[in-house]
């Protein structure tokens, strides 16, 4: 990436008429991917996560979590700081596949999962992606009740939808949403919706009929299956294994300097983080061979009192 001094000036400064230049306000700035955060490293970018803010890069770490094996790091991927986690899931699987290190199950946090990835991971790599998915959006009403998507019965083969009142949709169209993702739109007739006595529970739209939007069948079924799994206490217990990666990140940051880049540029920073992972693996392998037990999750004294009570 190359930016001229004039390009940088136009991004960060503004001038009205012949007046003096001024810093642009936050609302005037372009997306972080188009800004220059440092004249020394034009590839680094600003990002934020909860209370943490930083300028630099983002690293994704994958490790083995089998109870009877050493918890070695199998993949490290460095990407721009502002890139969403979800945009890295498929690339992580590609890198693991190239090393013949794909897991049967991949436990991730909610940022790495969506309906397309649930389907694509299974289809392309035979990997079951395990992680929390977003809940169904609910529409509030004065009575606290509303007809949501789950109340509508979908006939995939017949390409029609039946509403809670037994009326059938009159159109079925494959469309794309505002970001280009595929969606299906089913619309009901104006005659049925206009005369419906419970229309206020169905839609607040001024349109004379209800439209239902949903994902294509593979993504729809995968997403709803994942939502069902999230309610299963057995799945919640199994998912607790993912917490181990938080300890890995903590070890990398506190003991190996994972969060401080010694170099300029994404390629060199990525190489440093691979070296950090190699050093962590060496320590873990030595401890595993020596029979040193893995440290458990630390509990504060206050939390221990609560558990004892």
């Amino acid at each position: 990436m190359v930016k001229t001094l004039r390009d940088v000036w136009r991004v960060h400064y503004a001038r009205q008429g012949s007046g003096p230049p001024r810093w642009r306000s936050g609302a005037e700035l372009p997306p972080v991917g188009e800004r220059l955060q440092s004249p020394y490293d034009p590839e680094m970018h600003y990002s934020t996560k909860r209370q943490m803010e930083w300028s630099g890069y983002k690293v994704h770490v994958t490790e083995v979590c089998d109870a009877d094996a050493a918890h070695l790091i199998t993949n490290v991927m460095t990407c721009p700081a502002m890139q969403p986690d979800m945009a890295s899931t498929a690339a992580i699987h590609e890198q693991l596949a190239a090393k013949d290190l794909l897991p049967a199950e991949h436990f991730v946090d909610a940022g790495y999962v969506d309906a397309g990835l649930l389907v694509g991971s299974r289809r392309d790599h035979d990997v079951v992606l395990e992680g929390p998915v977003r809940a169904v959006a609910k529409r509030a009403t004065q009575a606290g009740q509303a007809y949501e998507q789950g109340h509508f019965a979908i006939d995939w083969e017949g390409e029609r939808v039946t509403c809670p009142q037994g009326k059938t949709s009159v159109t079925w169209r494959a469309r794309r949403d505002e970001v280009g993702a595929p969606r299906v739109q089913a619309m009901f007739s104006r005659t049925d919706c206009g005369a419906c006595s419970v229309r206020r529970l169905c839609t607040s739209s001024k349109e004379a009929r209800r439209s239902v939007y949903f994902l294509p069948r593979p993504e729809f079924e995968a997403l709803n299956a994942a939502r069902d799994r999230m309610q299963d206490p057995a799945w919640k217990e199994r998912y607790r294994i993912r917490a181990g990666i938080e300890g890995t990140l903590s070890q990398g940051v506190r003991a190996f300097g994972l969060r401080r880049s010694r170099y300029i540029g994404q390629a060199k920073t990525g190489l440093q983080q691979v070296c950090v992972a190699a050093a962590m693996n060496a320590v873990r392998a030595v401890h595993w061979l020596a029979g040193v037990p893995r440290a458990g999750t630390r509990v504060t004294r206050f939390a221990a009192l609560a558990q004892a009570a």
Side-chain angles (χ1 to χ4, degrees):
M1 183 178 72
V2 177
K3 285 183 179 288
T4 66
L5 184 60
R6 180 173 295 179
D7 292 332
V8 174
W9 192 94
R10 287 174 176 172
V11 168
H12 293 277
Y13 292 92
R15 172 184 285 168
Q16 292 182 349
S18 59
R22 62 172 178 81
W23 284 102
R24 291 184 183 274
S25 66
E28 295 176 303
L29 288 171
V32 291
E34 300 176 18
R35 305 179 202 171
L36 184 70
Q37 295 299 131
S38 168
Y40 306 103
D41 187 354
E43 292 183 299
M44 65 182 288
H45 293 287
Y46 168 83
S47 188
T48 179
K49 185 174 183 180
R50 291 187 285 273
Q51 289 79 33
M52 179 183 292
E53 300 180 62
W54 77 97
S55 291
Y57 303 93
K58 183 184 291 185
V59 60
H60 304 277
V61 179
T62 307
E63 71 173 4
V64 176
C65 59
D66 297 290
D68 57 349
H71 287 191
L72 301 180
I73 296 171
T74 57
N75 193 70
V76 176
M77 190 177 82
T78 304
C79 64
M82 74 294 181
Q83 180 172 299
D85 294 342
M86 203 173 293
S88 302
T89 307
I92 292 171
H93 287 163
E94 291 289 344
Q95 293 181 3
L96 289 169
K99 296 179 283 189
D100 197 23
L101 291 173
L102 278 170
E105 294 179 303
H106 193 179
F107 289 88
V108 297
D109 71 22
Y112 293 85
V113 186
D114 69 3
L117 291 168
L118 289 169
V119 174
S121 298
R122 178 69 72 92
R123 179 193 62 229
D124 299 336
H125 301 291
D126 198 25
V127 172
V128 179
L129 198 60
E130 299 281 8
V133 297
R134 68 182 188 277
V136 178
K138 295 186 178 296
R139 185 174 64 87
T141 63
Q142 291 182 348
Q145 298 176 344
Y147 288 151
E148 309 296 345
Q149 188 184 87
H151 294 108
F152 292 77
I154 302 175
D155 179 359
W156 296 99
E157 286 74 18
E159 294 189 344
R160 56 180 175 265
V161 177
T162 303
C163 79
Q165 295 297 309
K167 304 299 182 180
T168 304
S169 61
V170 295
T171 64
W172 176 289
R173 297 173 183 169
R175 308 178 62 123
R176 292 192 176 272
D177 63 14
E178 60 276 4
V179 297
R183 292 289 186 272
V184 176
Q185 179 190 23
M187 297 182 69
F188 293 84
S189 73
R190 290 185 174 87
T191 302
D192 290 337
C193 292
C196 183
S197 60
V198 293
R199 187 175 184 275
R200 62 184 181 81
L201 298 180
C202 190
T203 179
S204 57
S205 173
K206 295 181 180 179
E207 294 289 333
R209 54 180 170 172
R210 171 74 186 259
S211 294
V212 182
Y213 296 86
F214 45 90
L215 295 164
R217 186 173 186 176
E219 289 80 4
F220 180 90
E221 293 180 344
L223 186 61
N224 282 280
R227 286 171 177 154
D228 291 340
R229 287 197 301 270
M230 288 172 58
Q231 309 307 315
D232 183 0
W235 183 88
K236 293 179 180 180
E237 182 65 27
R238 291 180 62 244
Y239 183 70
R240 292 178 61 185
I241 199 170
R242 197 207 69 84
I245 196 66
E246 302 297 342
T248 296
L249 294 175
S250 178
Q251 182 186 23
V253 170
R254 298 171 185 273
F256 292 88
L258 184 66
R259 197 170 280 166
R260 295 291 181 182
S261 177
R262 298 175 174 85
Y263 307 101
I264 293 174
Q266 182 173 324
K268 291 182 178 180
T269 299
L271 177 59
Q272 174 193 321
Q273 291 167 338
V274 169
C275 292
V276 166
M280 293 173 65
N281 278 348
V283 171
R284 292 181 172 201
V286 169
H287 286 177
W288 174 260
L289 294 173
V292 178
R294 285 189 291 270
T297 302
R298 295 181 180 179
V299 180
T300 65
R301 294 179 180 179
F302 186 76
L305 287 173
Q307 292 176 0

